[in-house]
Amino acid sequence: MEEFVLRRYLIGPAALAATLVTGATAWAQNAPATLPETPKAPDTGDTAWMLVSTAFVMLMVPGLALFYGGMVRRKNVLATMMHSMVALSVVGVFWLAVGYALAFGSPVVSAFGGGLIGWDARLVFLNGVKPTDLLPGTNIPVYLHAMYQGMFAIITPALISGAVAERIRFKPYCVFLVLWATLVYCPLAHMVWAQDWWYAAPLDAAKGLGGTPVGVLGALGALDFAGGTVVHVAAGFSSLAAILLLRKRVGYPGHAMHPNSMVLTLAGAGLLWFGWFGFNGGSGLGSGTLAVSAFSATQAAAAAAGLSWLVAEWLHKGKPTALGLASGVVAGLVAVTPASGFVSPASGLILGAIAGVICYGAVCLKPAFKYDDSLDAFGVHGIGGFLGAVLTGVFCSTAINKGGADGLLSGAPGQVVTQLIAALVSAALAFGLSLVLVKLVDILIGFTTDADAESAGLDQTEHGEVGFDFGLAFESVPGTSAVTHEPRPAIVPPNGHTRFTVVVEGADTGALTHTWSDLCQTGAEPPPPQFRAIYPFVTTVQGNRFRFRGGDPKRMSENLRLLFQHKLGGSAVNVHVEN
């Protein structure tokens, strides 16, 4: 296939247009009108396993939603889980429409000996593919490959939401999902995983169609069995770009922001661990020994990393935590992802143990670098993915996978350099493009919510509902400058809100106390609007003195007067703000 190259610095608009035409022509000359004929039927064992693997990876999305949802504050549980779940729809539609064609079509833009982005009109909505068409070089249908890879495309940008949780708006996030999948994920997937599936003739006759990498990193010899660079390095370093550009959460790091439910997080971690067997085990695109090897290495790494993180935390802080165990397991799964089909179980064990300690250290350094990585997306996925990509070059062996390479422990140190180059390219591409995309979305439609909406909680302000109801009458009121009801140190100002006291006169103190107590109880009748307006701001009541935190003093006073005047049968009630 004729290759065309984008030369750095020396290409102008006219030359670029000519180059694109040349590349498209070269691709068209090598692209058959229909997919290559194959006399084989899909292998039932491979197809069944890949269907199961696809379902496993899909289950990771609600697993991630639970994992992240348990780590945020109660008022943001639903909004955080929505960031993961909505990717199933937004990226799912995008992937079927054009994503698969961009990621796995034949190269249309190339540089440095390989493709940067692909395209094949037959893969748009899979309109040129029949259900019986096999992916060249495999025993599974093209439909199944597209569906399986689509699950990777869905969960990858959802990982980024953990870095900026509790402060981003829903609509800009949905826009970002599509832009990021188009400009970051699809090019990286093509650069690492694209093969000569759609060519008229194979690039290497001995390997046949689908046997030769055509992406620039794949052609370089980089190994990424299941997404260390494409998924975790990309998501992790994109997360870093987002947290450097967008503001911190209100009150961070001065105020403690405790997880709402470690039960949810542990359940989510369990589902992620379970689903990762499809993530890694299915990436061999069959049910043979590669799937078994990937299973074994994945299990070993997850167990070792969970233990090493737990021990490191135990020694460092004096007590092990459930969050530490869950984070360690995920760190091990992240690190072994690129290596899983190339390393032995013993190597997976060592790799996981290293990842648990390194990722724990990275998370502990957050305060020193003063960035707000809400749920440690960069510390776990960015650092863990980069570490795993490089260590793949240390532990990989052709004794495990003949289609791979020998690493440092097998006497071939050059693979470490190749893996380092691939990890650096992926990190730089994801970080640089994400800086542009996040800034663009922020300028055009505003990525983060305002301080008042954040204090009220994204469940209410972005979705108009709450994730859990633990019996409190009200948590926030739409349209008001609501504040959180979480305990705060007395010396910390409540996000700039003033404190003031309103004194109620003209009514019996006992009657005031009794009336206020009744209003605070949940009943069949909705409370008066005046009560709804003042309730989120009242901190203490002592006799006829009502202490407020935040809100407009005049508005609060008037609502309090109208409330008691109505509830006390029209008695003359006066109020004043105490100096």
Side-chain angles (χ1 to χ4, degrees), residues 364-391:
C364 288
L365 289 174
K366 276 197 310 182
F369 289 104
K370 301 186 186 304
Y371 62 80
D372 185 10
D373 183 1
S374 301
L375 308 181
D376 300 323
F378 173 67
V380 172
H381 296 278
I383 300 300
F386 196 97
L387 177 70
V390 175
L391 290 182

Side-chain angles (χ1 to χ4, degrees), residues 351-436:
L351 193 154
I354 295 171
V357 174
I358 296 298
C359 290
Y360 174 71
V363 169
C364 288
L365 289 174
K366 276 197 310 182
F369 289 104
K370 301 186 186 304
Y371 62 80
D372 185 10
D373 183 1
S374 301
L375 308 181
D376 300 323
F378 173 67
V380 172
H381 296 278
I383 300 300
F386 196 97
L387 177 70
V390 175
L391 290 182
T392 299
V394 175
F395 295 109
C396 63
S397 171
T398 52
I400 302 297
N401 187 341
K402 293 181 180 179
D406 285 319
L408 180 62
L409 294 186
S410 300
Q415 190 62 35
V416 176
V417 177
T418 301
Q419 295 301 118
L420 179 60
I421 292 172
L424 288 171
V425 169
S426 298
L429 179 69
F431 182 79
L433 288 175
S434 295
L435 280 175
V436 175

Side-chain angles (χ1 to χ4, degrees), residues 196-213:
D196 58 342
W197 289 303
W198 322 116
Y199 286 29
L203 293 179
D204 186 333
K207 295 180 179 179
L209 283 176
T212 304

Side-chain angles (χ1 to χ4, degrees), residues 31-112:
T34 59
L35 291 176
E37 291 293 330
T38 173
K40 299 191 300 181
D43 181 275
T44 54
D46 286 353
T47 300
W49 166 238
M50 290 307 299
L51 285 168
V52 170
S53 292
T54 302
F56 277 14
V57 183
M58 186 269 174
L59 187 62
M60 293 174 70
V61 179
L64 181 69
L66 289 170
F67 183 75
Y68 278 170
M71 288 195 284
V72 297
R73 290 166 288 179
R74 182 168 65 92
K75 61 188 179 180
N76 297 315
V77 175
L78 179 66
T80 300
M81 295 181 73
M82 278 287 285
H83 291 152
S84 295
M85 296 301 292
V86 76
L88 282 165
S89 292
V90 174
V91 182
V93 171
F94 162 81
W95 186 256
L96 179 61
V98 295
Y100 186 61
L102 289 169
F104 292 101
S106 298
V108 292
V109 179
S110 300
F112 309 108

Side-chain angles (χ1 to χ4, degrees), residues 11 30 67-68 82 161 282 287 343 354 421 427 434 455 461 464 539-540:
I11 187 164
N30 285 273
F67 183 75
Y68 278 170
M82 278 287 285
S161 68
S287 57
V343 303
I354 295 171
I421 292 172
S434 295
S455 294
T461 59
T539 58
T540 57

